[in-house]
């Protein structure tokens, strides 16, 4: 009986577990997302830029929405920070008055360079790779 | 009279249920167990039945599709007769279930009722206490509200912070890295099929072990003469009264005073939304924010895992037949210290999340 139970478990278990795990194995691909034109940002200033692009999620193509923080370094140079807090993935918010990025979930704080300065986060904000094509800023996101 | 009794006997025979009915009639419960102090287990059973009933019918109007999920829940709640009551009963029942299960477990611990030969009654009960939060976590996402979505994002990133297996566990749970339609469908199916199946099995085991090993005798023998009470019809009648009272109480309370909080539809790009932890995870949340960087795993997995493990093995490490609390002061002291720590962490977390003003 033990052998037959084992055989029945294998016969049903292999297809079912492959069936269940399949969508979990896909690795995210990098994708260049158009943020549009970003002009008139003074050096040292930070601006929120929202984006929306279509992404295939399972059997649907749905809009994926989000935003990044763009910092001007002067001379048209930009730094693009991911909005995702490195502690627990809440969205950080730029506070102009204090000059910090603050995570509302556990009061984690990052300075203008994205370095953690207070609260639970220990890793800096992710700097996203970007390029400027025909005046438009494009940023590389893992989708 | 005689005739109708014969008819019902005949019907039971026809359905081959006569033996089952005889079994229930011959199953007795000592009158010692019928005190108000020992009512929590019965209330928990009633709440589980209410959760299954309300949930099964809520599923009639639910559509697991980002966006539409929110609309379907709103439709059921506001456009259908008793929609608010049925959702309210589901919502408050799980909150109450957690409270009642904790009281039930606390009493079982203090009176030493978990000790041999009832080890497996305790173990199946602890497993129920561990499965119910999974049902809550999967259920929170289903209405597709801001609170449900962002709470899920935070929970998912806590799981993925566990080294090595964390990220894969998240991908397995969500069917990928995104909290989208695949994740919502998985949460839905776990919530309405797999987890209820687990809860029913564990509950059946809980009652089976209880029937096999018997209820614990009171520590102080009652002066009243002991009677035996039949499960059918006496105990079932008591449960039915309890069921009616609990249903009316929650239904009326939710209709007139405690509407289920709902809120806005989920918007993954809305940074202004700050998820606030539910009351029962406050202490876990605080653990996660205390242990930082490489020590995150201590708060997210080691301590919660050790607590769950300790509960599971309790009847195997505390085997002496002594049940009087005074003679077991060491283990009771340890338990009270742990409970105080959990309460303290919860209060700290509550102050951080509910009283501070993030402008």
């Amino acid at each position: 009986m033990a052998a037959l139970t084992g055989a029945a478990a294998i016969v049903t278990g292999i297809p079912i577990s492959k069936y269940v795990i399949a969508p979990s194995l896909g690795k995210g691909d990098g994708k260049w997302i158009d943020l549009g034109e970003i002009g008139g940002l003074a050096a040292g200033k930070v601006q929120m830029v929202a984006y929306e692009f279509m992404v295939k999620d399972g059997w649907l193509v749905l809009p994926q929405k989000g935003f990044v923080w763009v910092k001007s370094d002067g001379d048209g140079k930009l730094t693009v920070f991911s909005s995702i807090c490195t502690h627990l993935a809440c969205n950080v918010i730029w506070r102009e008055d204090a000059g910090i990025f603050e995570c509302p979930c556990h009061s984690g704080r990052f300075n203008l360079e994205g370095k953690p300065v207070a609260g639970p986060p220990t890793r800096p904000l992710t700097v996203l790779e970007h390029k400027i094509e025909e005046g438009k800023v494009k940023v590389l996101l893992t989708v | 009279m005689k005739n109708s009794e014969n008819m019902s006997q005949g019907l039971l025979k026809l359905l081959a249920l006569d033996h089952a009915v005889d079994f229930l009639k011959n199953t007795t419960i000592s009158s010692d167990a019928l005190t108000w102090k020992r009512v929590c287990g019965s209330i928990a059973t009633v709440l589980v039945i209410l959760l299954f009933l309300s949930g099964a019918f809520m599923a009639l109007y639910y559509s697991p599709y980002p966006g539409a999920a929110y609309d379907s829940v709103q439709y059921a709640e506001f456009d259908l007769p008793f929609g608010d009551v049925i959702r309210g009963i589901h919502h408050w029942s799980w909150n109450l279930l957690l409270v009642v299960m904790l009281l039930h477990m606390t009493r079982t611990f203090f009176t030493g009722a978990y000790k041999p030969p009832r080890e497996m009654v305790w173990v199946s009960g602890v497993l129920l206490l561990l499965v119910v939060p999974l049902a809550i976590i999967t259920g929170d996402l289903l209405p597709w509200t801001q609170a449900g979505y962002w709470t899920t994002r935070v929970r998912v990133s806590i799981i993925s912070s566990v080294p090595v297996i964390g990220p894969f566990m998240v991908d397995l749970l969500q069917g990928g890295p995104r909290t989208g339609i695949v994740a919502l469908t998985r949460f839905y199916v776990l919530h309405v099929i797999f987890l209820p199946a687990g809860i029913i099995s564990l509950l059946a085991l809980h009652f089976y072990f209880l029937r096999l090993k018997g209820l614990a005798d009171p520590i102080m023998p009652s002066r009243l003469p002991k009677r035996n009470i039949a499960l059918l019809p006496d105990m079932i009648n008591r449960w039915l009264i309890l069921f009616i009272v609990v249903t009316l109480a929650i239904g009326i309370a939710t209709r007139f005073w405690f509407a289920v909080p709902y809120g806005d539809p989920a918007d993954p790009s809305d940074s202004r939304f700050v998820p606030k932890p539910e009351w029962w995870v406050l202490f876990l949340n605080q653990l996660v924010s205390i242990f930082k960087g490489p020590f995150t795993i201590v708060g997210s997995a080691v301590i919660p895992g050790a607590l769950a493990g300790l509960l599971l093995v309790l009847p195997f490490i505390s085997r002496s037949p002594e049940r009087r609390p005074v003679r077991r002061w060491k283990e009771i002291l340890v338990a009270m210290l742990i409970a105080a720590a959990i309460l303290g962490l919860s209060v700290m977390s509550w102050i951080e999340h509910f009283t501070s003003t993030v402008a």
Side-chain angles (χ1 to χ4, degrees), chain B residues 81-103:
Chain B
F82 288 103
D84 56 341
V85 172
I86 290 175
R87 178 144 190 241
I89 283 180
H90 200 72
H91 179 83
W92 298 117
S93 288
W94 73 250
N95 277 280
L96 284 175
L97 179 62
L98 278 182
V99 175
V100 170
M101 282 174 88
L102 284 174
L103 290 174

Side-chain angles (χ1 to χ4, degrees), chain A residues 1-127:
Chain A
M1 194 176 114
L4 284 174
T5 311
I10 290 168
V11 165
T12 54
I14 290 177
I16 289 175
S17 47
K18 288 206 151 192
Y19 185 77
V20 171
I21 294 171
S24 314
L25 299 177
K27 285 274 166 284
D29 300 324
K31 192 172 179 179
W32 287 99
I33 307 302
D34 194 344
L35 297 181
E37 287 182 31
I38 297 170
L41 195 58
K45 292 284 177 188
V46 174
Q47 184 188 334
M48 177 198 278
V49 182
Y51 59 79
E52 182 174 337
F53 60 92
M54 302 305 281
V55 66
K56 190 152 192 273
D57 181 18
W59 49 95
L60 277 182
V61 179
L62 286 174
Q64 175 96 346
K65 291 191 235 168
F67 65 90
V68 292
W69 293 105
V70 179
K71 184 185 76 164
S72 169
D73 300 323
D75 298 334
K77 286 209 178 71
L78 301 172
T79 306
V80 182
F81 290 113
S82 162
S83 67
I84 296 167
C85 178
T86 53
H87 177 223
L88 289 177
C90 294
N91 282 312
V92 296
I93 295 163
W94 170 249
R95 292 184 55 183
E96 182 82 48
D97 50 338
I100 48 144
F101 293 98
E102 185 171 64
C103 177
C105 290
H106 299 96
S107 313
R109 290 171 182 207
F110 304 85
N111 64 14
L112 192 55
E113 273 69 54
K115 300 247 157 40
V117 288
T122 54
R123 284 172 292 129
L125 288 175
T126 310
V127 174

Side-chain angles (χ1 to χ4, degrees), chain B residues 52-76:
Chain B
F52 283 169
L53 268 178
S54 53
F57 290 99
M58 281 160 80
L60 280 179
Y61 297 102
Y62 181 71
S63 134
Y65 184 101
Y70 180 84
D71 299 329
S72 71
V73 172
Q74 298 289 300
Y75 172 82

Side-chain angles (χ1 to χ4, degrees), chain B residues 189-236:
Chain B
V189 172
L190 282 173
H191 189 77
V192 303
I193 297 178
F194 291 98
L195 292 169
I199 289 173
I200 290 174
S201 316
L202 286 170
L203 214 49
L205 280 176
H206 199 59
F207 283 120
Y208 172 73
F209 289 130
L210 204 56
R211 149 89 197 167
L212 214 62
K213 307 290 182 183
L215 287 157
D217 287 323
I219 298 178
M220 302 290 232
S222 168
R223 275 165 300 165
L224 297 168
K226 217 168 170 168
R227 288 178 300 131
N228 279 330
I229 298 194
L231 187 65
L232 188 81
D234 300 332
M235 201 58 206
I236 304 269

Side-chain angles (χ1 to χ4, degrees), chain A residues 20-21 23-24 48 55-60 64-67 87-91 93 102 104-106 119-120 122 143, chain B residues 65 150 154 157-158 168 171-172 175-176 178 180-182 185-186 267 269 271 274-275 285 288-289 292-293 352-353 358:
Chain A
V20 171
I21 294 171
S24 314
M48 177 198 278
V55 66
K56 190 152 192 273
D57 181 18
W59 49 95
L60 277 182
Q64 175 96 346
K65 291 191 235 168
F67 65 90
H87 177 223
L88 289 177
C90 294
N91 282 312
I93 295 163
E102 185 171 64
C105 290
H106 299 96
T122 54
V143 297
Chain B
Y65 184 101
W150 286 105
V154 171
S157 70
I158 293 176
F168 180 69
D171 282 356
L172 193 60
R178 272 182 290 276
I181 182 134
V182 184
T185 309
R186 280 196 180 208
D267 178 359
S269 66
S271 69
V274 183
N285 216 276
V288 172
S289 80
K292 304 169 191 178
E352 188 177 322
H353 286 278
V358 179

